[in-house]
């Protein structure tokens, strides 16, 4: 009996040791046996080490800011309008407005009825969970109205209105907040340029920046594809991003037809009349061009880049949709700069198939590449040009060449008419743009004329901290 008990106890102890060793093997086995000679060949060891090095480390745990607790004055619904960057700026404004009214913001609805007819939802473009979590210390954001509130609204129509453009924050306190408190839910259905550029509290301006530069992060799929495009470009050296805003919608909206055939001009006019929310219908294209209110044509762009001594061998990434007039209009630019590329030429069609027919998602890719370029050159000061300009300033005043289009078209016409030699033309273009490279500067303020003053998102100087070297360089 004693012998049997000894054997049973020994077996139990051995089994316990085996179980414990198996549990700890994965964690400690490699450390304990690291000094032992391996049974694998040197080549096998190298392969194993290579595989180990490819394993991504665990992402660091995100530290969330503490929630801000406040008495909720109601719920704000927002419907954005326009293209990606017009909506991006509007979202930043609406977050700041919601925070200063102490209301709960519902994740904004994106425009699906504009010219681009993009069906994308907020979460298809932006990381919605990051958006909500990263701002929780400022404002409460929900993906949808609470069920009780939705049920209450089912029997009555939600109050809907557009806020007044370029309004001071006091307008929202004095006129919009009482409506929210009365109706509990308010829907703002037009949100572009609804908050003034200047004269706002510093903390509000900084919150607009925080939303733009931190909270509005693109989805992981878009971010990864953007990184892939940037890697492919970097393999061939430095690159310039050209935001060539010579697309059909822009030409129809602006009425700019310089270089177009009579048939193309008629097509653009018909399109302008087809969209009732484009207010201006009768447009003198020549006068508008001379006033610098038209996007540069591809031909004018090629001349200007050459005059600025941009290296003909440099890669130029075209950040734009389909260029109006196609290859015929791109011929001069392609001849001057043969290394023209687009996302469609750098990536396989399979990489882009999920983003096709989603203009805002395609624009997000261009946005990411534009931020990382060595030089960014917009040919028109539209929403993308302005927002990217401001973001590049935030990233360290990265070089952004801002064309003086009014001067350029005059110089180009003089050169084309033989009134200026090439050297005279090039010298004049360089001189005019020596101080238009996105350096530190204050915004131009024009009281009572906000459309004509500098846009907040193009130069959010309240949020920028230029180094002494950058300031000195700007002064020189």
């Amino acid at each position: 009996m004693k012998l049997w008990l000894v054997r049973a106890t020994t077996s139990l102890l051995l089994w316990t040791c085996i179980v414990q060793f198996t549990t700890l093997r994965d964690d400690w086995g490699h450390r304990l046996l690291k000094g032992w000679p391996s049974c694998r060949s040197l080549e096998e060891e190298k392969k194993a080490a290579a595989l180990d090095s490819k394993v991504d480390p665990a992402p660091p745990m995100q530290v969330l800011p503490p929630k801000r607790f406040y008495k909720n004055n109601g719920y704000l619904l927002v419907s954005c309008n326009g293209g990606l960057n017009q909506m991006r700026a509007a979202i930043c404004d609406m977050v700041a407005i919601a925070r200063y009214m102490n209301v709960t913001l519902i994740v904004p609805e994106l425009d699906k009825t504009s010219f681009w007819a993009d069906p994308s939802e907020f979460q298809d473009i932006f990381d919605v969970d990051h958006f909500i979590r990263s701002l929780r210390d400022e404002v409460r954001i929900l993906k949808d109205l609470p069920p009780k509130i939705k049920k209450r609204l089912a029997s009555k129509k939600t109050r809907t209105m557009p806020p007044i453009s370029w309004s001071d924050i006091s307008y929202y306190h004095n006129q919009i907040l009482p409506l929210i408190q009365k109706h509990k839910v308010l829907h703002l259905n037009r949100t572009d340029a609804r908050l003034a550029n200047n004269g706002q509290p510093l903390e509000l301006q900084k919150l607009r920046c925080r939303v733009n530069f931190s909270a509005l992060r693109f989805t992981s799929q878009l971010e990864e594809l953007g990184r892939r495009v940037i890697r492919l470009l970097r393999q061939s050296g430095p690159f310039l991003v050209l935001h060539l805003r010579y697309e059909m919608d822009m030409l129809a909206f602006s009425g700019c037809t310089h270089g177009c055939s009579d048939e193309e001009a008629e097509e653009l006019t018909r399109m302008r009349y087809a969209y009732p929310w484009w207010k201006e219908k009768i447009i003198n294209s020549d006068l508008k061009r001379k006033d610098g209110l038209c996007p540069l044509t591809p031909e004018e762009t090629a001349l200007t880049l050459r005059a600025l001594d941009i290296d003909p061998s440099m890669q130029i990434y075209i950040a734009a949709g389909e260029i109006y007039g196609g290859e015929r209009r791109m011929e001069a630019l392609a001849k001057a700069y043969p290394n023209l590329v687009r996302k469609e030429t750098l990536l396989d069609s399979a990489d882009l198939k999920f983003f096709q027919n989603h203009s805002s998602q395609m624009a997000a890719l261009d946005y990411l590449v534009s931020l990382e370029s060595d030089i960014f050159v917009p040919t028109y000061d539209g929403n993308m040009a302005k927002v990217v300009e401001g973001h590049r300033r935030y990233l360290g005043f990265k070089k952004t060449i801002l064309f003086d289009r009014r001067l350029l078209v005059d110089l180009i016409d003089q050169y084309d008419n033989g009134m200026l030699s090439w050297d005279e033309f090039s010298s004049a273009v360089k001189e005019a743009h020596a101080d238009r490279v996105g350096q530190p500067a204050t915004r131009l303020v024009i009281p009572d004329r906000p459309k004509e003053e500098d846009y907040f998102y193009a130069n959010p100087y309240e949020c920028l901290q230029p180094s002494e070297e950058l300031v000195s360089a700007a002064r020189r």
Side-chain angles (χ1 to χ4, degrees), residues 351-379:
D351 294 322
L352 291 171
K353 67 179 181 179
F354 295 110
F355 307 105
Q356 295 288 358
N357 302 319
H358 294 80
S359 61
S360 291
Q361 295 183 48
M362 297 290 266
L365 283 177
D366 285 342
Y367 187 97
L368 290 166
V369 179
S370 298
L371 290 184
E372 296 299 321
S373 64
D374 297 279
I375 307 173
F376 177 64
V377 181
T379 61

Side-chain angles (χ1 to χ4, degrees), residues 135-152:
L135 293 168
R136 59 188 246 161
D137 60 328
E138 293 285 357
V139 62
R140 184 183 181 214
I141 304 175
L142 301 177
K143 294 181 181 179
D144 203 352
L145 285 169
K148 288 183 179 179
I149 302 296
K150 288 181 74 174
K151 186 176 181 181
R152 193 186 310 165

Side-chain angles (χ1 to χ4, degrees), residues 240-438:
L240 177 152
V241 167
L242 181 63
H243 183 41
L244 188 60
R245 195 69 170 93
Y246 202 76
E247 298 140 308
M248 188 177 186
D249 67 295
M250 172 51 64
L251 299 181
F253 171 76
S254 64
C256 297
T257 58
H258 181 72
C260 295
S261 65
D262 291 340
E263 292 78 11
E264 288 173 331
E266 289 176 8
E267 180 182 38
L268 294 171
T269 301
R270 286 196 301 271
M271 182 179 180
R272 183 163 65 254
Y273 277 89
Y275 289 89
W277 51 85
W278 291 352
K279 304 298 183 184
E280 197 176 9
K281 301 299 182 184
I282 301 174
I283 299 173
N284 186 318
S285 177
D286 291 335
L287 286 177
K288 201 161 189 180
R289 176 176 175 269
K290 288 178 181 178
D291 285 338
L293 301 175
C294 287
L296 291 188
T297 67
E299 296 88 351
E300 291 168 340
T301 302
L303 275 175
T304 305
L305 293 178
R306 285 178 53 211
L308 290 169
D309 288 340
I310 299 297
D311 188 346
S313 65
M314 176 172 270
Q315 294 178 102
I316 294 185
Y317 176 93
I318 304 295
E322 184 178 351
I323 302 303
Y324 191 63
E327 292 184 8
R328 175 179 65 83
R329 297 306 302 272
M330 290 292 288
E331 185 177 351
L333 184 59
K335 184 177 180 181
Y337 294 92
N339 291 328
L340 296 180
V341 295
R342 306 171 63 101
K343 52 187 170 293
E344 293 86 355
T345 60
L346 290 169
L347 298 171
D348 295 332
S349 58
D351 294 322
L352 291 171
K353 67 179 181 179
F354 295 110
F355 307 105
Q356 295 288 358
N357 302 319
H358 294 80
S359 61
S360 291
Q361 295 183 48
M362 297 290 266
L365 283 177
D366 285 342
Y367 187 97
L368 290 166
V369 179
S370 298
L371 290 184
E372 296 299 321
S373 64
D374 297 279
I375 307 173
F376 177 64
V377 181
T379 61
Y380 185 73
D381 54 354
N383 288 291
M384 176 171 174
K386 291 175 180 177
V387 177
V388 169
E389 175 195 345
H391 206 149
R392 286 174 66 85
R393 288 177 187 270
Y394 176 78
L395 294 173
F397 298 94
K398 302 175 79 172
K399 187 172 183 180
T400 301
I401 301 177
L402 305 168
F403 287 157
D404 183 340
R405 295 190 305 279
R406 184 171 185 173
L407 177 66
L408 277 175
V409 296
D410 181 52
L411 292 174
I412 289 169
D413 288 345
Q414 290 186 59
Y415 172 71
D416 287 341
N417 294 327
M419 298 169 64
L420 290 176
S421 67
W422 174 258
D423 288 341
E424 290 171 329
F425 171 71
S426 178
S427 177
V429 172
K430 289 173 187 168
E431 183 180 355
H433 293 85
D435 295 325
R436 299 176 64 89
V437 290

Side-chain angles (χ1 to χ4, degrees), residues 27-47:
D27 187 31
W28 291 96
H30 180 67
R31 302 183 197 182
L32 292 170
L33 302 176
K34 186 167 64 174
W36 291 22
S38 173
C39 298
R40 295 184 293 190
S41 67
L42 182 61
E43 191 65 30
E44 289 174 328
E45 290 288 345
K46 287 181 178 179
K47 288 180 180 178

Side-chain angles (χ1 to χ4, degrees), residues 160-165 171-172 176 187-191 194:
T160 300
M161 62 175 289
I164 297 173
S165 298
Y171 160 79
Y172 290 94
I176 300 300
H187 177 212
L188 300 182
N189 61 354
R190 290 189 69 83
T191 55
R194 305 292 151 158

